[in-house]
Amino acid sequence: MQRSVMLLGASSIAPTVFGRTALMVRPEWQSFKTTSHYDALIRAVKLMKANTNANDPKSWNYWTNIHLRQCPHMVPYFFAWHRGYLYYFERQLRAVSGDANLVLPYWDYYTHPTIPAEFTNPNGGNPLYVERVNTDVRQALTMAPFSSTLIHFPRGTSNAFEPSFEEMPHNPVHDIIGNWMADMQSPTDPIFWLHHANVDRLWVAWVNAGAGRKMPALTQPYWSGWHTYTSSLKMPRSSTYGTRTTLAYSYQNEAFPSRLPLAQLAPATLHRVQATPDDLQRARPPIGSFRLSPSRQTSEQTFALGGALDVGLDDRSISVQLPVSSEHTHALARIATGSAAALPGSSKRYRSVDLVLDDVEVTEAGKAGGYYYQVYLNIPVADDAASKSRAVLVGTLGPFKISGAARHGGPVQLRYPIGRAVFADVASEAGMMSVSFVRVNGDQSPKGGVIGVGEVRLETSTEDEDS
């Protein structure tokens, strides 16, 4: 046991040096809780939470602080960094519990959307219990990341699995549960570890699904370098390429979910479950009245086509008009072909498009979570029919995502890359372009103002973000 803890502090030891030779299987919680390892997990969690020395790997706060200070969100290696994080935490659970065969179970919320009862019982000093806003995450789930069109893996490539899955369901699961789960201290809540074991499992499922899906080859520079957890705890990126090889574990079920939970399929209002593009065509949220911001150079690489200022979000859905001139519309159409476009008032050549939310803040009521927003860009398209437009889901917005961006200090800016192909048939009268923030509530959610955005704008970049 002492040797295991010491190895956790070694700075350059590859997992193969102290890994297992036998393949361990991580089960779903409903199976795990019936095994003898359940008592070992409870024992480990109790001991780690009772340890108040946050500098000790045997304490719970030690692992929470790693996530708070080091976790990558909205950047490459989101999946891979967390895979190593779970691996090291699992080893610590074994060391503290004294059970050499203890593994992290996963919570399959596509089958069981309600947090397991063992985590929601506040009686008897239950170490798995913390207060949460919601215990059912059906409103956070989507089948979108499992689409056969997402054939690439890493962020920065087109049709990529990693950014799609992080936007939804990963972030909304954090947001809907709320409280600790709604910010970067989310590992405080024990359900975090089962959530991320499920995230890791569904990455395995994506690889197993085949049908043209491809990971970056292990020989590519993508896998060079290290994942950093503390100054003395690292893992080679290449070691997180697969689970069965270097890390020696697998999952009880390594297949995609086949459908959403039945509870989510029941009739519900727009605010209770996610909207779809068809929903937005039929019932777009009303346009709010906001001051407009002009087109301008925003950095050496970026140019704003137009935007709106001081956008407040509350428990209603709302749309924000974005003024886009005909000259800028023509530039968008050129970018859609894969070519660089010139813009009036700039000497640069622009290749990609982002929706930018600048100076984003969360109110005290909003920080606790229990809700999130789907963010749609509504694009007028060339058609004989008047006022026809296409709704494109560009991502989600909630307190968890904002907390991740705020961790770096300074004003919070969130960028949503938009695939250039969506502008292929943009209408010349694109002044009707708008952004819709569609509110999705958990069973419990805050009322009133929750998020303020200093500026919502459509922005072009000289970088090719849609390779």
Side-chain angles (χ1 to χ4, degrees):
M1 189 184 306
Q2 183 180 13
R3 173 174 167 76
S4 297
V5 174
M6 289 175 62
L7 284 171
L8 284 168
S11 62
S12 60
I13 300 177
T16 48
V17 173
F18 50 85
R20 304 178 62 97
T21 56
L23 189 70
M24 304 292 285
V25 179
R26 291 178 177 173
E28 207 281 328
W29 177 262
Q30 298 303 321
S31 297
F32 172 83
K33 70 181 185 180
T34 65
T35 71
S36 60
H37 304 299
Y38 173 82
D39 290 337
L41 177 67
I42 297 298
R43 181 166 61 251
V45 176
K46 280 185 176 180
L47 289 171
M48 293 176 75
K49 285 192 168 186
N51 186 336
T52 59
N53 181 3
N55 295 317
D56 185 351
K58 298 188 294 294
S59 74
W60 197 261
N61 284 341
Y62 177 89
W63 297 93
T64 297
N65 289 339
I66 288 176
H67 190 266
L68 177 65
R69 296 165 183 165
Q70 298 289 351
C71 69
H73 288 275
M74 298 173 286
V75 295
Y77 302 108
F78 160 73
F79 272 99
W81 185 93
H82 283 84
R83 175 169 283 176
Y85 182 46
L86 265 63
Y87 175 86
Y88 281 130
F89 178 74
E90 184 179 64
R91 290 181 59 82
Q92 189 64 75
L93 287 176
R94 290 176 188 151
V96 174
S97 69
D99 182 350
N101 294 311
L102 178 61
V103 292
L104 268 176
Y106 64 93
W107 168 34
D108 179 5
Y109 31 76
Y110 278 88
T111 303
H112 309 286
T114 301
I115 292 177
E118 292 77 16
F119 289 77
T120 60
N121 180 3
N123 299 321
N126 178 11
L128 303 180
Y129 173 80
V130 297
E131 289 190 6
R132 304 176 180 96
V133 178
N134 291 294
T135 58
D136 191 314
V137 298
R138 66 190 184 280
Q139 302 93 339
L141 305 182
T142 176
M143 297 297 288
F146 315 130
S147 167
S148 60
T149 63
L150 299 184
I151 60 173
H152 299 121
F153 174 72
R155 187 178 299 273
T157 58
S158 61
N159 300 318
F161 175 66
E162 182 176 58
S164 175
F165 192 100
E166 184 179 4
E167 283 292 323
M168 191 172 181
H170 169 265
N171 289 352
V173 167
H174 279 270
D175 289 324
I176 291 295
I177 293 173
N179 283 358
W180 288 114
M181 282 287 278
D183 70 23
M184 288 299 107
Q185 296 186 73
S186 48
T188 301
D189 187 337
I191 202 63
F192 167 94
W193 301 100
L194 276 69
H195 168 36
H196 264 277
N198 196 47
V199 170
D200 187 63
R201 177 184 75 92
L202 291 172
W203 175 17
V204 174
W206 181 84
V207 174
N208 289 348
R213 296 175 177 88
K214 50 191 175 185
M215 291 283 291
L218 194 54
T219 55
Q220 289 189 12
Y222 179 84
W223 296 108
S224 63
W226 296 74
H227 298 306
T228 298
Y229 303 99
T230 70
S231 60
S232 60
L233 184 61
K234 301 181 181 182
M235 180 180 287
R237 285 175 178 161
S238 59
S239 294
T240 56
Y241 180 83
T243 64
R244 293 172 178 263
T245 52
T246 309
L247 303 181
Y249 70 88
S250 64
Y251 287 97
Q252 176 184 337
N253 180 344
E254 295 186 338
F256 278 159
S258 59
R259 65 180 184 180
L260 293 171
L262 291 176
Q264 191 188 26
L265 299 177
T269 67
L270 185 65
H271 301 290
R272 303 302 288 181
V273 298
Q274 309 93 343
T276 67
D278 288 342
D279 293 331
L280 268 291
Q281 295 300 120
R282 292 190 296 269
R284 185 163 300 157
I287 297 285
S289 178
F290 304 104
R291 292 186 298 126
L292 301 181
S293 58
S295 60
R296 66 198 188 278
Q297 195 85 39
T298 46
S299 74
E300 285 295 316
Q301 292 81 33
T302 57
F303 190 95
L305 304 182
L309 300 172
D310 300 326
V311 175
L313 302 179
D314 55 26
D315 48 300
R316 300 166 296 180
S317 298
I318 195 168
S319 296
V320 179
Q321 194 90 37
L322 299 182
V324 180
S325 69
S326 58
E327 292 89 351
H328 292 155
T329 301
H330 294 150
L332 290 173
R334 182 168 177 80
I335 290 172
T337 67
S339 303
L343 292 173
S346 174
S347 60
K348 308 284 185 178
R349 307 283 289 183
Y350 298 91
R351 299 178 178 276
S352 58
V353 185
D354 295 298
L355 177 69
V356 178
L357 308 185
D358 223 346
D359 293 328
V360 184
E361 296 181 341
V362 186
T363 68
E364 286 304 312
K367 289 178 181 177
Y371 68 96
Y372 68 98
Y373 298 87
Q374 288 180 294
V375 184
Y376 282 86
L377 179 65
N378 306 305
I379 305 171
V381 295
D383 192 272
D384 292 336
S387 302
K388 183 175 180 180
S389 65
R390 179 173 57 251
V392 178
L393 179 63
V394 298
T396 60
L397 175 66
F400 180 81
K401 185 170 188 173
I402 298 169
S403 175
R407 182 189 60 187
H408 304 294
V412 171
Q413 182 185 92
L414 300 175
R415 306 184 70 86
Y416 298 82
I418 302 171
R420 54 180 168 242
V422 304
F423 298 104
D425 56 352
V426 62
S428 58
E429 298 298 325
M432 295 176 61
M433 197 172 295
S434 64
V435 175
S436 292
F437 295 93
V438 178
R439 171 74 172 241
V440 181
N441 291 329
D443 293 337
Q444 304 294 326
S445 62
K447 303 295 184 182
V450 289
I451 295 174
V453 184
E455 183 181 22
V456 179
R457 63 177 181 266
L458 196 65
E459 195 169 86
T460 56
S461 173
T462 58
E463 297 182 3
D464 188 355
E465 300 173 350
D466 192 22
S467 58

